[in-house]
Amino acid sequence: GEDVEQSLFLSVREGDSSVINCTYTDSSSTYLYWYKQEPGAGLQLLTYIFSNMDMKQDQRLTVLLNKKDKHLSLRIADTQTGDSAIYFCAEMDSSYKLIFGSGTRLLVRP
Amino acid sequence: DGGITQSPKYLFRKEGQNVTLSCEQNLNHDAMYWYRQDPGQGLRLIYYSQIVNDFQKGDIAEGYSVSREKKESFPLTVTSAQKNPTAFYLCASNSIYRENEKLFFGSGTQLSVL
């Protein structure tokens, strides 16, 4: 079945760039998403990319998609302490359900 | 404002007790979902519904039940058959008949066993 994998933890210094990586298995996914979860809260949609795109930029966020390798990344420029959270990658399967990765916990050090 | 409302924020269950988590949305979304999140882990799909009066099992449906009598509401019952119910439960919804059916989430319910 479909599977989405992420590294569990990333630590960066404030002001540096963060890059969170994700791999997925379903080559028919039309949209791929990045969600952010702060402690004790629901998931907030950060950005998404259509599968026929290679890159999407939205302010400090850049999403790169390598469809051949089924690899998705999220780059956060000028990372701030408020960016500390868990980031989930997700792909949409053929029945419109989202398959989530296990999440990457981002810690931003002052 | 449109959104998804989950209640309560915190819920405690006694042994052998059934409890029901509420999820209401006013986004006119067709589909609703329940996910379970355990500490340090990702989201696992419990049940989902894409139309009123119909729902499907997700990956971990055992010990749970749902109903979808109204488009706006998708309550989840955690039954006594669920032996390890302590988790953070997230409800979500989207419109599956429009392109790019982004999923919107409620703020979650933390369920603990007394």
Side-chain angles (χ1 to χ4, degrees):
Chain A
E2 298 92 352
D3 193 22
V4 178
E5 293 190 357
Q6 301 177 237
S7 53
L8 290 181
F9 186 74
L10 176 66
S11 177
V12 300
R13 196 177 298 276
E14 189 175 15
D16 288 349
S17 292
S18 307
V19 179
I20 303 171
N21 294 302
C22 169
T23 58
Y24 61 98
T25 56
D26 187 356
S27 58
S28 66
S29 295
T30 51
Y31 288 96
L32 297 128
Y33 304 85
W34 283 104
Y35 282 85
K36 176 183 180 182
Q37 185 183 33
E38 298 188 1
L43 273 67
Q44 172 194 357
L45 178 65
L46 277 180
T47 187
Y48 64 92
I49 188 167
F50 188 45
S51 60
N52 69 352
M53 297 170 64
D54 298 324
M55 185 183 86
K56 179 180 180 182
Q57 187 149 5
D58 184 0
Q59 298 182 336
R60 291 191 297 123
L61 305 178
T62 303
V63 179
L64 295 177
L65 176 60
N66 181 329
K67 198 172 181 183
K68 173 176 169 289
D69 294 338
K70 300 192 187 71
H71 182 267
L72 184 72
S73 68
L74 174 69
R75 178 177 181 269
I76 305 173
D78 187 25
T79 313
Q80 303 297 307
T81 54
D83 295 324
S84 292
I86 302 175
Y87 290 81
F88 291 93
C89 165
E91 62 170 348
M92 180 165 284
D93 72 9
S94 56
S95 59
Y96 304 109
K97 301 192 307 295
L98 285 194
I99 310 297
F100 286 88
S102 55
T104 299
R105 184 177 296 272
L106 174 64
L107 174 66
V108 182
R109 309 185 307 273
Chain B
D1 288 336
I4 303 176
T5 302
Q6 287 187 242
S7 62
K9 180 73 173 171
Y10 300 96
L11 186 58
F12 297 91
R13 193 191 89 164
K14 295 180 183 178
E15 293 288 338
Q17 186 182 37
N18 292 353
V19 292
T20 297
L21 284 62
S22 170
C23 179
E24 305 275 332
Q25 53 96 3
N26 61 2
L27 300 166
N28 198 32
H29 282 166
D30 308 286
M32 298 185 74
Y33 308 79
W34 275 105
Y35 289 90
R36 170 179 169 142
Q37 186 179 25
D38 292 282
Q41 297 188 33
L43 280 67
R44 292 185 289 170
L45 183 63
I46 304 172
Y47 268 101
Y48 65 102
S49 167
Q50 296 182 328
I51 194 169
V52 173
N53 291 323
D54 186 51
F55 46 82
Q56 309 295 329
K57 291 182 179 180
D59 301 317
I60 54 164
E62 187 173 346
Y64 300 97
S65 66
V66 292
S67 63
R68 186 87 186 276
E69 296 177 2
K70 298 186 299 181
K71 188 176 185 179
E72 302 79 17
S73 179
F74 191 41
L76 173 75
T77 296
V78 184
T79 75
S80 57
Q82 172 49 248
K83 298 305 179 189
N84 184 23
T86 297
F88 190 54
Y89 290 85
L90 286 161
C91 179
S93 70
N94 67 356
S95 175
I96 60 172
Y97 301 111
R98 290 198 298 260
E99 189 174 310
N100 191 7
E101 301 85 358
K102 295 183 285 290
L103 202 61
F104 292 87
F105 283 84
S107 55
T109 295
Q110 176 64 50
L111 175 62
S112 303
V113 176
L114 290 176

